[in-house]
Structures are given as C-alpha cells and as structure tokens.
Amino acid sequence: PKEKGWLTEYLFQYQGFWLSPGAVKATMLVQHYFRAQPTDIFAATPPKSGTTWLRALIFATMNRTQFELSTHPLLTTNPHGCFPYLETFICEDGSISNLDTFPCPRLFSTHIPYSLLPAESMTGVSGCTFVYLCRNPKDVLVSKWIFININKSRHKQLPALSLEEAFELFCQGTSHYGSFWEHVLGYWKASLENPKKILFLKYEDLKNEPLVYVKRLAEFLGKPFTPEEERNGDVEEIVRLCSFENLSSLEINKHGEHRFNSEYVVNNRDFFRKGQVGDWKNYLTDEMVKRIDQITEEKLYGSGLRFGA
Ligand code: A3P
C-alpha cells in the first residue's frame, strides 16, 4: 500500500512501516549488504525527537580526549556532519565498502525501526550498540509539522500542510519510518531484553537532568568519566557545548546548510527551532490532545513505558 501525505512523494508500507522511497531502498541495502561490526554505535531516533542533540552528545562524549574546547569540531560543523546517517550514506554509490575503512568504533545515526534491522548482524546480544532517544509524541508531531512545511516551501514551493492534516496522518501512523508508537515500542522492548546493547532515553529526561544522563551515556558507551574529569567539569562542558542555546547560536548553525544527498538539503538553522518540552501546548486543540493522549495510552498499555504531559 502507498499513501501520499506529508510531502509530494508517496510513503510505502514496507514490512509494516511507512517509509519514503529513499528509506525503502536504504533499509533494503542495510538488510542485505551492510556489514555491521559489533563495535558499531548507533544514535537511533524517530524523526524530530532530538537526533541533532543526540548526535552532538555522542560525538562529544566519545571523542572528548581528542579535542580542545576552543577548537572543537562541533563549533564549526553541524552535528549532522560529524558522523554519517546510515540511510543516506549507504545509498551513495560505493559507500558500502567505504564504510569498512571507518575508524573503530564507527558512529552512525539511523531512523530505521528496530525490527527492520538485520537480526544476525545488528540486533541481539552480539550485535551493535544503540542509544535510542525519543520524545513526547505531541512535541514530535508539532516539530515534524513545522519542519515539513519549511522543507515543502524550500524544495518544491508547495502549499503548507495544515496542522489538522498532519495530525490525522500522525495519529494513523502514516509517518516517515512508520507509526511513532510502533517505532518507540520496538526499541523499548528490545532495551528491556538487552539493556547492555540498547540505552533507551527520553528527551524530557535529558532536558531535566542533562548531567545525570550524559554520565549514563558515557558509562553505557564504555567511556565513563573519570573522577578527575568530573572534578574538572568535563561533564558540564559537554552538556554546555551540545546545548540548544550554544549550538543554535553558532555561525555554522545560523547560516550553513547540510546536504543529506543531492536532492535533500536542509538549512542548519531549521534543525534548531525551540528545543523546549511542551511547545505542543501552543498548537494543539483540547480535542487533539485528548485523542493523541488516548492513542498513546492504548498503544503503550502494559509496556511500562510512559511519556510525561
Ligand atoms: P522543536 O521543533 O520542538 O524545537 P531532530 O534533531 O530529531 O530533527 O529533532 C529536532 C528537535 O530537536 C527540534 O525540536 C529542535 O529544536 C530540537 N533540538 C535540536 N538541537 C537540540 C539541542 N541541542 N538540545 C535540545 N533540543 C534540540
């Protein structure tokens, strides 16, 4: 089945998830040709859930001994340029073999749902490591609706998608990389079964207690902060470097652009909108809130996973 919704392109249902044509191709390539290494680290997210932030945090944490703060790559490179997005990278000619030459541990970002990743090489006990970041679905919806409209007008001068249309598509699960709830549940259940391989994080928790979660992230990635690093304020430094306020104020993120592939280019400033918890309150009607909360409750029932208001 196919569905024309958010953009001009159709989304196709592939193995139970709605994917753009590019994402179908990328997922098939990953399933059949990607040579995963057990040391690979993935920043996995549903779209518009804090991917930019997570990428920055993983990059800064993993490479913290290599760079001085004053010349840190994140000051001059958008977080999306710091390590590859698996789906777009794997679709470029010849890049599958190029990936083998990347230094270990390789860092990647992906939106591919957990159950679509190849079980023998990527998921499971001897597979790769995943840090999953998700977010309250109401904030994801608003963030996605605004982002899509910016890109619609930039790329195709298309009329904007109304919030009502976006809401319907989102609630039906007709969204890039599939239903938000299915995406989250896939990684959530896997993280319960395999906590050493999947760290499951929520945007709201990271916002509330960034120091706690950056320390947890470092430990999980096998690079715990030493007592000396903690005394020196290195955790605080990473939190500050990767904060919305800092990244969004940098020249590169105010004026630069990021080219995912030859067709898909995003102004860096569009990765940074408000970076707040609960901005949905400024957009969604009471009726919308009631419906989406009900869907969330039904879908997550019995899973042990909850999102705050
Ligand atoms: P809003 O649209 O609610 O502001 P993604 O990176 O997955 O595309 O998600 C984008 C959302 O993350 C946007 O949310 C964006 O503002 C927010 N964001 C980007 N960088 C951030 C950061 N460093 N800290 C917190 N939120 C950030």
Side-chain angles (χ1 to χ4, degrees):
K2 56 183 184 174
E3 179 82 31
K4 199 170 185 175
W6 298 91
L7 293 167
T8 45
E9 62 185 9
Y10 282 99
L11 293 181
F12 290 84
Q13 205 165 65
Y14 178 72
Q15 298 182 348
F17 291 87
W18 291 102
L19 304 179
S20 68
V24 172
K25 180 181 169 193
T27 304
M28 290 172 86
L29 285 170
V30 170
Q31 289 177 335
H32 296 289
Y33 298 109
F34 178 57
R35 290 194 289 271
Q37 296 172 6
T39 45
D40 289 344
I41 295 170
F42 283 84
T45 50
K48 307 318 292 172
S49 298
T51 316
T52 314
W53 192 16
L54 183 62
R55 276 170 172 270
L57 286 170
I58 291 179
F59 182 81
T61 303
M62 289 301 290
N63 298 302
R64 65 183 184 269
T65 52
Q66 280 180 43
F67 304 116
E68 292 293 323
L69 194 59
S70 57
T71 53
H72 200 284
L74 278 167
L75 300 177
T76 47
T77 310
N78 176 268
H80 291 273
C82 287
F83 57 89
Y85 176 50
L86 184 64
E87 289 90 302
T88 46
F89 204 90
I90 206 162
C91 282
E92 303 291 319
D93 282 347
S95 58
I96 295 174
S97 49
N98 290 347
L99 286 172
D100 293 341
T101 62
F102 276 35
C104 171
R106 303 184 302 180
L107 304 181
F108 296 107
S109 181
T110 188
H111 292 315
I112 298 179
Y114 191 76
S115 63
L116 299 196
L117 295 170
E120 23 0 302
S121 56
M122 284 184 77
T123 57
V125 189
S126 55
C128 313
T129 296
F130 293 86
V131 181
Y132 186 72
L133 181 64
C134 61
R135 185 182 192 191
N136 186 315
K138 290 174 289 206
D139 278 332
V140 173
L141 163 66
V142 169
S143 185
K144 176 168 171 140
W145 169 59
I146 294 172
F147 185 77
I148 288 277
N149 279 337
I150 291 171
N151 283 296
K152 274 182 116 168
S153 70
R154 171 179 173 149
H155 286 285
K156 320 243 174 151
Q157 279 89 45
L158 290 166
L161 185 76
S162 72
L163 178 57
E164 289 69 23
E165 289 170 301
F167 180 79
E168 272 310 315
L169 288 166
F170 192 82
C171 287
Q172 287 163 18
T174 316
S175 222
H176 295 83
Y177 292 93
S179 150
F180 167 83
W181 298 275
E182 300 305 327
H183 201 287
V184 168
L185 279 173
Y187 279 92
W188 170 250
K189 286 178 187 161
S191 76
L192 297 180
E193 282 165 18
N194 211 348
K196 291 213 170 96
K197 286 289 178 182
I198 305 173
L199 178 66
F200 189 97
L201 299 174
K202 288 189 256 180
Y203 183 98
E204 295 75 17
D205 294 339
L206 205 49
K207 266 276 179 196
N208 275 341
E209 295 183 292
L211 296 175
V212 170
Y213 285 95
V214 169
K215 277 198 250 177
R216 194 169 295 174
L217 175 72
E219 265 167 47
F220 176 77
L221 295 176
K223 293 233 171 194
F225 288 92
T226 62
E228 198 192 342
E229 283 180 313
E230 290 205 24
R231 270 196 308 278
N232 287 345
D234 292 5
V235 192
E236 283 85 349
E237 217 164 65
I238 288 179
V239 167
R240 218 172 11 250
L241 173 69
C242 300
S243 68
F244 180 89
E245 291 69 26
N246 182 53
L247 292 180
S248 61
S249 70
L250 299 171
E251 276 308 300
I252 181 66
N253 293 327
K254 284 203 282 195
H255 303 298
E257 58 180 28
H258 183 71
R259 183 169 289 277
F260 284 97
N261 59 32
S262 54
E263 281 169 25
Y264 187 42
V265 183
V266 174
N267 285 324
N268 288 344
R269 66 168 181 271
D270 297 331
F271 293 117
F272 304 93
R273 191 181 63 90
K274 285 193 183 169
Q276 290 169 5
V277 174
D279 188 41
W280 58 265
K281 292 181 185 130
N282 298 315
Y283 295 91
L284 303 187
T285 63
D286 290 349
E287 241 169 73
M288 286 172 165
V289 172
K290 209 169 140 195
R291 179 149 162 230
I292 202 167
D293 280 350
Q294 195 178 341
I295 296 172
T296 304
E297 207 176 307
E298 281 168 14
K299 295 274 188 190
L300 302 189
Y301 181 77
S303 69
L305 175 62
R306 289 188 70 82
F307 289 100

